[in-house]
Amino acid sequence: MAAPSLLNWRRVSSFTGPVPRARHGHRAVAIRELMIIFGGGNEGIADELHVYNTVTNQWFLPAVRGDIPPGCAAHGFVCDGTRILVFGGMVEYGRYSNELYELQASRWLWKKVKPHAPSSGLPPCPRLGHSFSLYGNKCYLFGGLANESEDSNNNVPRYLNDFYELELQHGSGVVGWSIPVTKGTVPSPRESHTAVIYCKKDSGSPKMYVFGGMCGARLDDLWQLDLETMSWSKPETKGTVPLPRSLHTANVIGNKMYIFGGWVPQKGENIEASPHDCEWKCTSSFSYLNLDTAEWTTLVSDSQEDKKNSRPRPRAGHCAVAIGTRLYFWSGRDGYKKALNSQVCCKDLWYLDTEKPPAPSQVQLIKATTNSFHVKWDEVPTVEGYLLQLNTDLPYQAASSDSSAAPNMQGVRMDPHRQDSNSIIPNSISDTMNSAKTEHTVMKGTPVKNKPDLKSSTDSNAVLHSPLATNASNHNSCMMDMLRKNEGPHTSANLGVLSSCLDLRTVIPETSVSSTVCSAQTMVTQQTIKTESSSTNGAVVKDETSLTTFNTKSEVDEICALPATKISRVETHTAAMPFSKETPSTPVATTKAGERQWCDVGIFKNNTALVSQFYLLPKGKQSISKIGNADVPDYSLLKKQDLVPGTGYRFRVAAINGCGIGPFSKISEFKTCIPGFPGAPSAVRISKNVEGIHLSWEPPTSPSGNILEYSAYLAIRTAQIQDNPSQLVFMRIYCGLKTSCIVTTGQLANAHIDYTSRPAIVFRISAKNEKGYGPATQVRWLQGNNKKAPLN
């Protein structure tokens, strides 16, 4: 974690949609990139459900239906997948609730649920300020504040330390309450505390950590409950314990519990105080507890002043959610307005990256031409951009070290929440998610409508890849897997849609495997298939390794992106191609990639890039990017060099967030095309018939002359694949002029089931003209999750 002085808070200054009014006592949860807020109050209790999309910076009000709960504040609010549970809270002054509501966010449907009472004892009484924590299929309720008086206008507070367990049914509904028998000393009664649950990755039982709260005075004690043994304990901690507080937030990211804000005692500090706030104040202090070592670390102390408004101002009763490794904070109250003796609520939204982003997936090829690459990589959540670099074995002239050519680190910050942030990112591609009521293009023309859906669609059964480049010089075939996106209509998948949110429809290519192509003697024909789609962009290219090759003629050619297809049960990908050491015409590295200087291609806001040039290094410089932070170099002062036909380039990419530039991905290698070879076949379809399956395709969009023949290949089972599943071995099942073939059940019986992602049978199809074979299109025909024979 960064030192306190290096914390890079970001205030979201530009967003769209109906912004909720400022409040305190509200609660928030995260469903993927969405922050969902309910309840709270400021001059009246709010009853609306608000959603903020952290990717598109858009607020929206979903059209909820069903048993809509009344507005409440200081309630319990947890998320289980796409189901949200609300328990208790204050529904009006002096009147508290013990009702339980469930929201199915995939349909924005509310339902009031009635759990069974405990077998011994009473169900939880109405309360506010309790903790309500989820782990597995159970929610854990602890403490809170009750009103002993039946008259809501005559509030007689009673602090609670009772403990309940609520068992959930799978998907929807609840079983009932129970009162676990616990061991050890129970924490003292309290309200407005926090409780989080954490379990070590490799060992240990889940534990609930209760911190702080209010019981007449504010508390700073930490309690631990082992959820397996139901034993309470008070762990010994190291470091500086945060000041006693209530109405703070606690969030777990990794093995750290982050504590922010809340009410803390004045402790006689020289601060102007009215009679209404002389005993306590709001704070912006920020600490974390390492839950593995029980050590506290102070990131922002209570005494640190912020004269530049570079971080959230002091507040309490705010909400905080963790999305990936990023924390978002919204609203809350910052004390009392002395002239009017009324609470003042903050209206601001902030976020903080708690650590550098992880390495993205390997760079993958969508399309190669003679002097450019269209590449992509998997998205990394909550990042502000990506640094793409390349190197090559070709000599390139180092840029002059004159001051005119030296990089000028201007400290430009990339704020994804600024609507004009594309302007500072060279070659960036439009966002995959954008504001509502507009259409955008995602990866070669895929329409995107803005409405995320949390419902998962069913998988289709085939996966389309494209193209594999081949080389004829030694009569061996070489194939490259290229990642590719389907451009036709498709269904949404894992990301899903939240109705009333954005209609997001993107296709996610599945994992593809780089390999050298094998060919053999056998015949086959074609088929029909629907493209399988999913919701986040990306696919993973496995480590490029050469495969056993069979004799066949092949040559390297322009690698074409696979056009749109409507195929059921198919996944589309463009295969990204490694260098074959057996192919003399392909440049082979004479030194390790790490020994070559890496040059910046640029900073990209999104996970795709069109690469035709790169920036030259000043003499004596190893890198022109500062890795310690996310400052953007002034590329306008650097010389550029164009890509060269028939040349191999290595790529790597790193993600950037507020903590700086993260680690680089594994290295991928691609080769620019040699002119004159045919493109890859397109629109591959697979359909079942009595003989087996029918495989069909369309001719290349760029044949570069007359097509002399097509070859179709099937990945087959071999001992080599069993030893190394990433090395596919292919058998040629068809060679001829037709654009279709039959793959018999006998041939399919020998097919290899690829489990690098979802189980699939892999086909490759390439075209040949007078100059030779061009790149191949790869198709993954999904087989479900079993290992039965195909067609079953």
Side-chain angles (χ1 to χ4, degrees):
M1 182 72 191
S5 60
L6 299 179
L7 288 178
N8 202 348
W9 294 93
R10 304 288 178 91
R11 180 171 179 171
V12 182
S13 57
S14 179
F15 36 71
T16 60
V19 180
R21 72 180 191 265
R23 64 192 66 190
H24 62 95
H26 52 292
R27 299 290 186 260
V29 294
I31 299 180
R32 286 187 282 274
E33 76 276 19
L34 302 178
M35 180 170 70
I36 300 173
I37 295 169
F38 181 68
N42 184 32
E43 300 178 358
I45 294 178
D47 60 0
E48 315 95 358
L49 188 78
H50 290 267
V51 180
Y52 177 70
N53 188 313
T54 60
V55 174
T56 63
N57 309 322
Q58 181 189 30
W59 288 100
F60 65 93
L61 279 164
V64 296
R65 55 197 175 91
D67 306 325
I68 300 174
C72 57
H75 47 287
F77 201 55
V78 297
C79 180
D80 174 29
T82 60
R83 162 175 61 172
I84 295 173
L85 293 169
V86 180
F87 174 75
M90 181 171 71
V91 292
E92 62 182 49
Y93 179 79
R95 190 166 72 87
Y96 308 154
S97 168
N98 63 348
E99 294 179 337
L100 181 67
Y101 289 85
E102 175 187 273
L103 173 69
Q104 290 290 342
S106 58
R107 295 172 288 162
W108 298 123
L109 179 64
W110 282 106
K111 183 174 72 172
K112 186 175 182 179
V113 290
K114 296 181 179 179
H116 295 303
S119 56
S120 60
L122 298 174
C125 65
R127 66 189 66 202
L128 62 74
H130 47 283
S131 60
F132 196 52
S133 310
L134 173 76
Y135 188 82
N137 69 332
K138 292 179 180 177
C139 287
Y140 298 94
L141 169 68
F142 175 74
L145 180 69
N147 184 1
E148 289 282 71
S149 172
E150 295 182 1
D151 181 5
S152 60
N153 293 318
N154 181 26
N155 198 359
V156 179
R158 178 168 63 97
Y159 294 97
L160 305 170
N161 66 344
D162 50 357
F163 179 62
Y164 286 85
E165 186 178 87
L166 175 66
E167 185 178 352
L168 310 182
Q169 292 178 345
H170 180 70
S172 178
V174 297
V175 178
W177 296 104
S178 61
I179 303 175
V181 176
T182 61
K183 306 170 188 173
T185 303
V186 178
S188 61
R190 67 193 64 207
E191 58 102 1
S192 298
H193 55 282
T194 54
V196 301
I197 297 176
Y198 169 73
C199 186
K200 287 186 179 180
K201 285 184 179 179
D202 302 326
S203 62
S205 58
K207 295 177 175 61
M208 184 171 79
Y209 293 87
V210 174
F211 177 72
M214 172 75 173
C215 183
R218 280 161 182 85
L219 306 169
D220 64 353
D221 49 350
L222 177 72
W223 293 84
Q224 173 185 288
L225 175 65
D226 188 311
L227 295 179
E228 284 190 1
T229 63
M230 285 295 165
S231 299
W232 285 104
S233 61
K234 202 170 180 180
E236 293 289 332
T237 62
K238 296 171 284 185
T240 303
V241 178
L243 288 179
R245 68 193 59 215
S246 62
L247 293 172
H248 54 286
T249 52
N251 301 86
V252 173
I253 297 178
N255 65 346
K256 299 178 179 68
M257 177 178 73
Y258 291 91
I259 302 292
F260 177 75
W263 286 112
V264 296
Q266 288 275 25
K267 286 203 167 180
E269 295 170 5
N270 186 21
I271 297 174
E272 284 188 24
S274 73
H276 299 282
D277 61 356
C278 61
E279 296 179 359
W280 57 80
K281 64 174 183 176
C282 287
T283 183
S284 59
S285 60
F286 187 44
S287 303
Y288 71 77
L289 175 69
N290 185 313
L291 296 171
D292 291 336
T293 63
E295 182 172 4
W296 286 103
T297 299
T298 301
L299 299 172
V300 178
S301 70
D302 288 278
S303 60
Q304 280 180 267
E305 294 186 10
D306 180 28
K307 296 179 180 179
K308 297 181 180 179
N309 296 319
S310 60
R311 66 174 186 263
R313 69 180 190 263
R315 67 194 62 211
H318 54 285
C319 69
V321 297
I323 297 180
T325 57
R326 177 176 288 179
L327 277 171
Y328 281 86
F329 304 89
W330 182 71
S331 200
R333 63 186 181 189
D334 67 354
Y336 289 91
K337 193 172 182 180
K338 299 173 179 56
L340 300 178
N341 190 26
S342 60
Q343 294 169 1
V344 177
C345 286
C346 311
K347 299 179 181 178
D348 48 356
L349 173 64
W350 293 77
Y351 69 85
L352 175 71
D353 289 307
T354 60
E355 58 189 55
K356 290 183 179 181
S361 65
Q362 283 178 277
V363 177
Q364 301 166 36
L365 188 61
I366 298 170
K367 181 177 180 178
T369 67
T370 55
N371 59 2
S372 71
F373 296 111
H374 189 185
V375 296
K376 80 181 301 292
W377 50 90
D378 285 359
E379 285 183 330
V380 178
T382 63
V383 298
E384 300 178 9
Y386 302 90
L387 170 64
L388 181 64
Q389 294 185 331
L390 65 72
N391 73 29
T392 179
D393 291 323
L394 279 185
Y396 50 81
Q397 183 178 1
S400 167
S401 59
D402 295 344
S403 59
S404 60
N408 178 17
M409 300 296 184
Q410 296 181 322
V412 179
R413 291 204 317 183
M414 294 174 298
D415 186 354
H417 301 280
R418 284 181 49 191
Q419 292 174 336
D420 62 347
S421 58
N422 266 336
S423 62
I424 64 169
I425 301 187
N427 304 323
S428 63
I429 313 292
S430 61
D431 282 323
T432 58
M433 300 158 88
N434 295 279
S435 58
K437 299 183 181 177
T438 58
E439 276 200 3
H440 294 266
T441 300
V442 177
M443 293 280 307
K444 301 189 65 64
T446 304
V448 175
K449 287 190 179 178
N450 290 334
K451 257 193 188 175
D453 181 5
L454 291 177
K455 295 173 284 190
S456 296
S457 67
T458 56
D459 286 348
S460 43
N461 250 19
V463 181
L464 203 41
H465 296 269
S466 172
L468 312 164
T470 55
N471 189 311
S473 28
N474 65 348
H475 300 288
N476 285 331
S477 58
C478 162
M479 283 188 158
M480 294 206 268
D481 289 321
M482 276 174 46
L483 176 67
R484 149 123 194 94
K485 209 179 255 282
N486 176 38
E487 295 171 354
H490 44 267
T491 59
S492 66
N494 301 329
L495 184 57
V497 181
L498 287 171
S499 54
S500 299
C501 185
L502 297 162
D503 184 9
L504 172 65
R505 302 195 177 179
T506 52
V507 181
I508 181 169
E510 269 293 321
T511 302
S512 57
V513 180
S514 298
S515 58
T516 2
V517 150
C518 314
S519 60
Q521 316 80 4
T522 321
M523 287 191 91
V524 185
T525 333
Q526 304 174 318
Q527 276 58 35
T528 308
I529 300 175
K530 283 179 188 172
T531 31
E532 195 248 8
S533 64
S534 36
S535 50
T536 56
N537 300 322
V540 178
V541 176
K542 300 295 182 183
D543 293 340
E544 288 98 351
T545 52
S546 300
L547 305 188
T548 305
T549 59
F550 299 113
N551 292 330
T552 185
K553 291 185 178 181
S554 53
E555 296 206 26
V556 177
D557 171 49
E558 173 174 334
I559 299 177
C560 284
L562 185 65
T565 57
K566 261 194 183 179
I567 300 180
S568 65
R569 306 160 59 102
V570 169
E571 282 181 350
T572 58
H573 294 255
T574 305
M577 195 161 187
F579 299 124
S580 169
K581 295 180 181 178
E582 303 172 6
T583 307
S585 64
T586 302
V588 179
T590 56
T591 61
K592 293 181 180 179
E595 296 173 359
R596 300 288 301 177
Q597 286 187 324
W598 288 94
C599 297
D600 285 10
V601 177
I603 306 289
F604 297 85
K605 181 175 180 181
N606 303 294
N607 63 325
T608 61
L610 293 169
V611 182
S612 60
Q613 297 176 318
F614 57 93
Y615 294 94
L616 294 174
L617 293 167
K619 286 181 180 178
K621 298 288 185 181
Q622 293 299 313
S623 173
I624 63 173
S625 296
K626 294 200 293 185
I627 302 303
N629 55 52
D631 289 350
V632 179
D634 187 354
Y635 290 115
S636 65
L637 300 179
L638 299 175
K639 292 183 179 180
K640 295 183 285 188
Q641 182 163 314
D642 294 332
L643 302 189
V644 179
T647 303
Y649 294 90
R650 299 174 193 86
F651 286 88
R652 67 181 187 178
V653 65
I656 303 169
N657 67 11
C659 290
I661 300 175
F664 281 95
S665 65
K666 292 182 179 179
I667 296 170
S668 298
E669 299 176 272
F670 310 122
K671 183 181 177 185
T672 48
C673 298
I674 301 173
F677 293 90
S682 60
V684 180
R685 300 172 184 274
I686 298 176
S687 60
K688 295 179 182 178
N689 64 16
V690 292
E691 300 176 71
I693 63 170
H694 182 257
L695 183 66
S696 66
W697 56 90
E698 296 293 332
T701 54
S702 53
S704 300
N706 295 323
I707 299 298
L708 304 181
E709 67 183 26
Y710 296 95
S711 285
Y713 303 88
L714 170 67
I716 58 172
R717 291 194 304 271
T718 66
Q720 179 182 356
I721 293 183
Q722 291 176 355
D723 295 338
N724 187 354
S726 66
Q727 287 192 328
L728 298 183
V729 175
F730 286 82
M731 175 180 71
R732 183 154 67 179
I733 52 177
Y734 171 75
C735 182
L737 268 173
K738 289 184 178 181
T739 55
S740 66
C741 66
I742 297 294
V743 186
T744 65
T745 52
Q747 291 167 332
L748 290 170
N750 294 318
H752 166 67
I753 306 296
D754 178 29
Y755 286 93
T756 55
S757 56
R758 279 169 285 188
I761 293 174
V762 182
F763 297 96
R764 287 176 175 175
I765 306 158
S766 59
K768 179 183 178 183
N769 64 9
E770 292 87 348
K771 202 160 184 178
Y773 271 98
T777 296
Q778 176 166 301
V779 179
R780 300 185 78 249
W781 181 30
L782 295 182
Q783 299 297 300
N785 293 321
N786 55 52
K787 298 190 178 183
K788 294 180 181 178
L791 300 176
N792 285 357

